[in-house]
Amino acid sequence: NAGVTQTPKFQVLKTGQSMTLQCAQDMNHNSMYWYRQDPGMGLRLIYYSASEGTTDKGEVPNGYNVSRLNKREFSLRLESAAPSQTSVYFCASWDSLSYGYTFGSGTRLTVV
Amino acid sequence: RKEVEQDPGPFNVPEGATVAFNCTYSNSASQSFFWYRQDCRKEPKLLMSVYSSGNEDGRFTAQLNRASQYISLLIRDSKLSDSATYLCVVNMGNNFNKFYFGSGTKLNVKP
């Protein structure tokens, strides 16, 4: 099925460990995004990529890095995980035709 | 002040009821507005865009009030399947690549 695929779905990290969240879309969308969602808060933008080869910071970029590997793939890296990064992470791509986001199913990350 | 604010609810309504949610936004330059639906432990999904003239999609009606800087969502004849959290989404001023999400309004439709 066409859409946005995120891996992994669940992850537990120890403080200080690093990991990369993977995201791929097969809809030929130019723009891709990483959000985090915490209880009682809306989704907050971490980083986005308006097109292949470009990335920009969102509201909460500290502690994260991103790579737009090609048009399909946009990865999020935590270099040194902290408990404050415990959250649900969503990748999304932007559809200029329907003028809306398509989200992946999310990654539930716990940092202990 | 949050960029986008919503009443978290929950709104508990019986089947068949009409329910309305409001969402206020702080940036008067915002141009694009949406309602998303999020089921428990799932990803958000686009419900509808909100146009200046208001728009309707079946039982759902969305309105925009630029003067007071709020958008609304009206759900008529509520169904059990409408139970979800409804997220208000607004673009960041003149930047159409970045959007603010409200924290959501939870709706519970009871039999």
Side-chain angles (χ1 to χ4, degrees), chain B residues 7-111:
Chain B
D7 181 342
F11 285 61
N12 298 308
V13 302
E15 271 187 292
T18 296
V19 61
F21 313 133
N22 282 342
C23 163
T24 58
Y25 61 95
S26 62
N27 193 325
S28 60
S30 296
Q31 296 289 328
S32 298
F33 310 90
F34 307 89
W35 284 102
Y36 277 71
R37 171 193 169 125
Q38 186 173 27
D39 294 300
C40 188
R41 300 180 73 82
K42 298 288 190 180
E43 71 273 22
K45 293 185 178 178
L46 179 64
L47 179 66
M48 58 195 305
S49 301
V50 185
Y51 303 125
S52 296
S53 56
N55 49 300
E56 189 174 306
D57 183 1
R59 298 181 292 108
F60 299 85
T61 300
Q63 297 279 353
L64 167 64
N65 185 318
R66 287 193 185 275
S68 300
Q69 294 183 210
Y70 75 86
I71 65 173
S72 63
L73 178 67
L74 181 77
I75 304 175
R76 291 180 299 277
D77 189 22
S78 298
K79 311 291 185 190
L80 294 176
S81 57
D82 293 334
S83 296
T85 297
Y86 291 83
L87 307 176
C88 169
V89 183
V90 179
N91 78 293
M92 297 182 184
N94 292 317
N95 189 328
F96 292 91
N97 282 312
K98 296 167 72 171
F99 291 82
Y100 285 109
F101 281 72
S103 55
T105 297
K106 187 169 177 58
L107 173 65
N108 295 318
V109 181
K110 308 290 189 181

Side-chain angles (χ1 to χ4, degrees), chain A residues 11-74:
Chain A
Q11 183 71 49
V12 178
L13 289 178
K14 294 182 179 178
T15 298
Q17 287 184 318
S18 62
M19 79 162 294
T20 299
L21 280 64
Q22 307 286 353
C23 176
Q25 53 95 6
D26 58 5
M27 297 170 287
N28 203 37
H29 292 166
N30 286 319
S31 301
M32 296 185 73
Y33 302 78
W34 277 104
Y35 284 91
R36 60 178 288 173
Q37 187 174 32
D38 301 297
M41 303 186 74
L43 278 76
R44 291 182 293 168
L45 182 62
I46 305 170
Y47 271 94
Y48 70 101
S49 171
S51 62
E52 185 178 353
T54 68
T55 60
D56 283 289
K57 295 179 180 180
E59 299 174 75
V60 289
N62 292 342
Y64 305 95
N65 285 301
V66 291
S67 295
R68 183 74 182 268
L69 305 171
N70 47 56
K71 192 170 186 179
R72 290 186 64 248
E73 298 173 287
F74 188 39

Side-chain angles (χ1 to χ4, degrees), chain A residues 86-101:
Chain A
T86 293
S87 189
V88 180
Y89 290 85
F90 288 103
C91 177
S93 65
W94 178 260
D95 181 357
S96 57
L97 290 179
S98 68
Y99 208 48
Y101 286 109

